[in-house]
Amino acid sequence: MSAHSSDDDEYQQPLTEEQLAAKRQHDIDTYTNDIIYSNRYSDETSEYRHVTLPKQIARWVPDDGLMSDQEWRSLGVMQSPGWEHYMRHAPEPHILLFRREKDYQIKYPNAVPPAPGNVVKQAVKPERAGAAAGKKVGGLIKDWI
């Protein structure tokens, strides 16, 4: 947002950084309950959702690309872990598009995915394979190899 308020006439004095920060926080605190969350939808690998921001919050979305987890959460967007802001749709900058790995909450119940390169696949013993299919075994989700 520019250093000028868009709510009043164009001859208003520029806002200071402190005033801008206070205005931003006021807008977020006031309009967070007006954020609209879509239902989740999915394909073979990911689940998706879109979040529609009210204009009073959308004006604070950075113009320079995708937002980090910390950035979109600082705008008052509240979602469970694992979501990433993956795309901007220029005609509708107030709509944020998110995705995450399918079944994220089942695969990572503590909301912490394994670090790349540290993924350990464990085989399920044949006598337990039927009982273990799609279930936690020993606190972990077993992968079929």
Side-chain angles (χ1 to χ4, degrees), residues 48-124:
Y48 304 89
R49 79 174 337 165
H50 55 274
V51 175
T52 305
L53 301 175
K55 70 178 182 174
Q56 296 86 352
I57 294 177
R59 72 172 116 205
W60 300 105
V61 173
D63 293 329
D64 60 351
L66 302 176
M67 291 185 286
S68 69
D69 186 272
Q70 179 182 358
E71 289 173 311
W72 56 260
R73 287 184 189 280
S74 76
L75 292 174
V77 175
M78 294 180 275
Q79 301 186 93
S80 53
W83 292 100
E84 71 169 320
H85 181 215
Y86 79 99
M87 188 167 61
R88 294 181 68 107
H89 182 52
E92 299 177 308
H94 64 289
I95 299 177
L96 308 179
L97 303 169
F98 291 92
R99 72 174 169 206
R100 73 175 172 186
E101 183 179 352
K102 195 169 187 176
D103 300 324
Y104 183 91
Q105 290 177 303
I106 295 170
K107 293 176 184 176
Y108 313 112
N110 296 324
V112 180
N118 290 339
V119 177
V120 177
K121 293 197 177 233
Q122 299 178 8
V124 177

Side-chain angles (χ1 to χ4, degrees), residues 25 111 131:
Q25 193 58 52

Side-chain angles (χ1 to χ4, degrees), residues 106-107 109 120 122-144:
I106 295 170
K107 293 176 184 176
V120 177
Q122 299 178 8
V124 177
K125 293 181 181 179
E127 64 271 11
R128 296 207 37 168
K135 296 183 180 178
K136 287 184 182 181
V137 176
L140 301 172
I141 301 291
K142 302 296 183 177
D143 293 322
W144 297 99

Side-chain angles (χ1 to χ4, degrees), residues 31-50:
Y31 297 101
T32 297
N33 290 335
D34 296 335
I35 295 173
I36 299 170
Y37 300 86
S38 76
N39 290 328
R40 298 175 191 174
Y41 43 100
S42 62
D43 60 19
E44 296 79 29
T45 60
S46 299
E47 62 180 330
Y48 304 89
R49 79 174 337 165
H50 55 274

